[in-house]
Amino acid sequence: MRYEKEDINKAIEVIQSGGIILYPTDTVWGIGCDATNEEAVRKIYELKKRSDSKSMLVLMENPGLIARYIDMMPDVAWELIEVTEKPLTIIYPNAKNLAPNLLSEDKTVGIRITEEKFTSDLIRRIRKPLVSTSANISGEPTPGNFVDISDEIKNGVDYVVEFRQGDMEKKQSSSIIKLGVGGEIEILRK
């Protein structure tokens, strides 16, 4: 399956101008923006009707970039990234260089390396991490496919990516592991 050049170019244009997009990920459809843009992150919280005390995760396309956004990359993180066979979000301590309202109160951030082609190409071309949060109003069920996303979400973003809208394969949310400063591992979602 191939996406159209115009589709990714429009998504890039919207993100670079501080807008938010609705897009397919390697898990569920997500709402996203430039993870370093505090105002764009605020727009997502408002659309989702979600408290900014609940952090959102960040997608990257290359694990080598993680060190730019956290103080120290624990060795165990490299091992987890290498052995995982399904999407894995790792919550790292001491986040930096990201929008402050994106981080949790304890300054942690969840980062997932995406293997989804459209999203990987998008991140590579904007040269910034991409916010990813499920495409639903806070407290409502996570939609399994594009057709399950509410009109409120679809109409509330600045651009809806066309790629994979007709995909009916049910995707699962990622596993979530939290790493402590000393390399402690806490499994939050399998």
PDB file of all heavy atoms in Angstrom, residues 162-175:
ATOM      1  N   GLU A 162      -5.335  10.961   4.346  1.00  0.00           N
ATOM      2  CA  GLU A 162      -6.179  10.071   3.542  1.00  0.00           C
ATOM      3  C   GLU A 162      -5.697   8.623   3.566  1.00  0.00           C
ATOM      4  O   GLU A 162      -6.489   7.693   3.463  1.00  0.00           O
ATOM      5  CB  GLU A 162      -6.229  10.587   2.100  1.00  0.00           C
ATOM      6  CG  GLU A 162      -6.920  11.927   1.992  1.00  0.00           C
ATOM      7  CD  GLU A 162      -6.858  12.511   0.597  1.00  0.00           C
ATOM      8  OE1 GLU A 162      -6.531  11.772  -0.360  1.00  0.00           O
ATOM      9  OE2 GLU A 162      -7.146  13.711   0.457  1.00  0.00           O
ATOM     10  N   PHE A 163      -4.387   8.440   3.719  1.00  0.00           N
ATOM     11  CA  PHE A 163      -3.785   7.110   3.680  1.00  0.00           C
ATOM     12  C   PHE A 163      -4.388   6.206   4.749  1.00  0.00           C
ATOM     13  O   PHE A 163      -4.528   6.587   5.901  1.00  0.00           O
ATOM     14  CB  PHE A 163      -2.275   7.249   3.878  1.00  0.00           C
ATOM     15  CG  PHE A 163      -1.512   5.958   3.801  1.00  0.00           C
ATOM     16  CD1 PHE A 163      -1.502   5.202   2.650  1.00  0.00           C
ATOM     17  CD2 PHE A 163      -0.782   5.519   4.890  1.00  0.00           C
ATOM     18  CE1 PHE A 163      -0.780   4.011   2.578  1.00  0.00           C
ATOM     19  CE2 PHE A 163      -0.054   4.332   4.831  1.00  0.00           C
ATOM     20  CZ  PHE A 163      -0.058   3.586   3.668  1.00  0.00           C
ATOM     21  N   ARG A 164      -4.759   5.003   4.358  1.00  0.00           N
ATOM     22  CA  ARG A 164      -5.261   3.925   5.218  1.00  0.00           C
ATOM     23  C   ARG A 164      -6.621   4.188   5.852  1.00  0.00           C
ATOM     24  O   ARG A 164      -7.022   3.498   6.786  1.00  0.00           O
ATOM     25  CB  ARG A 164      -4.243   3.560   6.307  1.00  0.00           C
ATOM     26  CG  ARG A 164      -3.076   2.774   5.771  1.00  0.00           C
ATOM     27  CD  ARG A 164      -2.137   2.216   6.809  1.00  0.00           C
ATOM     28  NE  ARG A 164      -2.775   1.786   8.013  1.00  0.00           N
ATOM     29  CZ  ARG A 164      -2.221   1.873   9.219  1.00  0.00           C
ATOM     30  NH1 ARG A 164      -1.015   2.356   9.358  1.00  0.00           N
ATOM     31  NH2 ARG A 164      -2.855   1.459  10.282  1.00  0.00           N
ATOM     32  N   GLN A 165      -7.384   5.150   5.347  1.00  0.00           N
ATOM     33  CA  GLN A 165      -8.719   5.377   5.908  1.00  0.00           C
ATOM     34  C   GLN A 165      -9.618   4.166   5.740  1.00  0.00           C
ATOM     35  O   GLN A 165     -10.475   3.904   6.573  1.00  0.00           O
ATOM     36  CB  GLN A 165      -9.380   6.611   5.286  1.00  0.00           C
ATOM     37  CG  GLN A 165      -8.819   7.911   5.788  1.00  0.00           C
ATOM     38  CD  GLN A 165      -9.583   9.115   5.274  1.00  0.00           C
ATOM     39  OE1 GLN A 165     -10.691   9.004   4.750  1.00  0.00           O
ATOM     40  NE2 GLN A 165      -8.997  10.291   5.445  1.00  0.00           N
ATOM     41  N   GLY A 166      -9.436   3.411   4.655  1.00  0.00           N
ATOM     42  CA  GLY A 166     -10.278   2.249   4.398  1.00  0.00           C
ATOM     43  C   GLY A 166      -9.781   0.956   5.029  1.00  0.00           C
ATOM     44  O   GLY A 166     -10.415  -0.088   4.924  1.00  0.00           O
ATOM     45  N   ASP A 167      -8.648   1.006   5.716  1.00  0.00           N
ATOM     46  CA  ASP A 167      -8.063  -0.172   6.359  1.00  0.00           C
ATOM     47  C   ASP A 167      -8.962  -0.621   7.516  1.00  0.00           C
ATOM     48  O   ASP A 167      -9.223   0.146   8.439  1.00  0.00           O
ATOM     49  CB  ASP A 167      -6.664   0.181   6.874  1.00  0.00           C
ATOM     50  CG  ASP A 167      -5.916  -1.001   7.470  1.00  0.00           C
ATOM     51  OD1 ASP A 167      -6.491  -2.107   7.565  1.00  0.00           O
ATOM     52  OD2 ASP A 167      -4.753  -0.809   7.854  1.00  0.00           O
ATOM     53  N   MET A 168      -9.449  -1.853   7.459  1.00  0.00           N
ATOM     54  CA  MET A 168     -10.356  -2.350   8.507  1.00  0.00           C
ATOM     55  C   MET A 168      -9.672  -3.326   9.464  1.00  0.00           C
ATOM     56  O   MET A 168     -10.323  -3.922  10.321  1.00  0.00           O
ATOM     57  CB  MET A 168     -11.583  -3.008   7.867  1.00  0.00           C
ATOM     58  CG  MET A 168     -12.439  -2.022   7.079  1.00  0.00           C
ATOM     59  SD  MET A 168     -12.916  -0.540   8.034  1.00  0.00           S
ATOM     60  CE  MET A 168     -14.116  -1.251   9.147  1.00  0.00           C
ATOM     61  N   GLU A 169      -8.355  -3.484   9.330  1.00  0.00           N
ATOM     62  CA  GLU A 169      -7.625  -4.351  10.245  1.00  0.00           C
ATOM     63  C   GLU A 169      -7.647  -3.723  11.643  1.00  0.00           C
ATOM     64  O   GLU A 169      -7.346  -2.549  11.816  1.00  0.00           O
ATOM     65  CB  GLU A 169      -6.173  -4.502   9.783  1.00  0.00           C
ATOM     66  CG  GLU A 169      -5.338  -5.377  10.689  1.00  0.00           C
ATOM     67  CD  GLU A 169      -3.867  -5.411  10.269  1.00  0.00           C
ATOM     68  OE1 GLU A 169      -3.549  -4.996   9.142  1.00  0.00           O
ATOM     69  OE2 GLU A 169      -3.059  -5.853  11.086  1.00  0.00           O
ATOM     70  N   LYS A 170      -8.035  -4.504  12.635  1.00  0.00           N
ATOM     71  CA  LYS A 170      -8.085  -4.004  14.020  1.00  0.00           C
ATOM     72  C   LYS A 170      -6.670  -3.938  14.577  1.00  0.00           C
ATOM     73  O   LYS A 170      -5.943  -4.923  14.568  1.00  0.00           O
ATOM     74  CB  LYS A 170      -8.952  -4.900  14.914  1.00  0.00           C
ATOM     75  CG  LYS A 170     -10.409  -4.879  14.550  1.00  0.00           C
ATOM     76  CD  LYS A 170     -11.059  -3.600  15.001  1.00  0.00           C
ATOM     77  CE  LYS A 170     -12.551  -3.643  14.715  1.00  0.00           C
ATOM     78  NZ  LYS A 170     -13.193  -2.372  14.825  1.00  0.00           N
ATOM     79  N   LYS A 171      -6.280  -2.778  15.030  1.00  0.00           N
ATOM     80  CA  LYS A 171      -4.951  -2.569  15.604  1.00  0.00           C
ATOM     81  C   LYS A 171      -5.074  -2.501  17.120  1.00  0.00           C
ATOM     82  O   LYS A 171      -6.111  -2.119  17.654  1.00  0.00           O
ATOM     83  CB  LYS A 171      -4.333  -1.269  15.084  1.00  0.00           C
ATOM     84  CG  LYS A 171      -4.185  -1.204  13.581  1.00  0.00           C
ATOM     85  CD  LYS A 171      -2.965  -1.935  13.134  1.00  0.00           C
ATOM     86  CE  LYS A 171      -2.720  -1.735  11.644  1.00  0.00           C
ATOM     87  NZ  LYS A 171      -1.470  -2.235  11.223  1.00  0.00           N
ATOM     88  N   GLN A 172      -4.010  -2.853  17.799  1.00  0.00           N
ATOM     89  CA  GLN A 172      -3.966  -2.823  19.256  1.00  0.00           C
ATOM     90  C   GLN A 172      -3.117  -1.654  19.727  1.00  0.00           C
ATOM     91  O   GLN A 172      -2.179  -1.252  19.042  1.00  0.00           O
ATOM     92  CB  GLN A 172      -3.351  -4.129  19.792  1.00  0.00           C
ATOM     93  CG  GLN A 172      -4.142  -5.364  19.458  1.00  0.00           C
ATOM     94  CD  GLN A 172      -5.454  -5.416  20.189  1.00  0.00           C
ATOM     95  OE1 GLN A 172      -5.543  -5.072  21.356  1.00  0.00           O
ATOM     96  NE2 GLN A 172      -6.502  -5.824  19.505  1.00  0.00           N
ATOM     97  N   SER A 173      -3.427  -1.141  20.899  1.00  0.00           N
ATOM     98  CA  SER A 173      -2.579  -0.128  21.513  1.00  0.00           C
ATOM     99  C   SER A 173      -1.237  -0.760  21.856  1.00  0.00           C
ATOM    100  O   SER A 173      -1.115  -1.981  21.962  1.00  0.00           O
ATOM    101  CB  SER A 173      -3.237   0.417  22.784  1.00  0.00           C
ATOM    102  OG  SER A 173      -4.458   1.048  22.463  1.00  0.00           O
ATOM    103  N   SER A 174      -0.225   0.062  22.033  1.00  0.00           N
ATOM    104  CA  SER A 174       1.112  -0.459  22.334  1.00  0.00           C
ATOM    105  C   SER A 174       1.211  -0.962  23.767  1.00  0.00           C
ATOM    106  O   SER A 174       0.416  -0.590  24.629  1.00  0.00           O
ATOM    107  CB  SER A 174       2.159   0.640  22.120  1.00  0.00           C
ATOM    108  OG  SER A 174       2.011   1.673  23.071  1.00  0.00           O
ATOM    109  N   SER A 175       2.208  -1.795  24.008  1.00  0.00           N
ATOM    110  CA  SER A 175       2.582  -2.144  25.378  1.00  0.00           C
ATOM    111  C   SER A 175       3.269  -0.915  25.958  1.00  0.00           C
ATOM    112  O   SER A 175       3.849  -0.113  25.215  1.00  0.00           O
ATOM    113  CB  SER A 175       3.560  -3.318  25.389  1.00  0.00           C
ATOM    114  OG  SER A 175       2.970  -4.463  24.838  1.00  0.00           O
TER     115      SER A 175
END
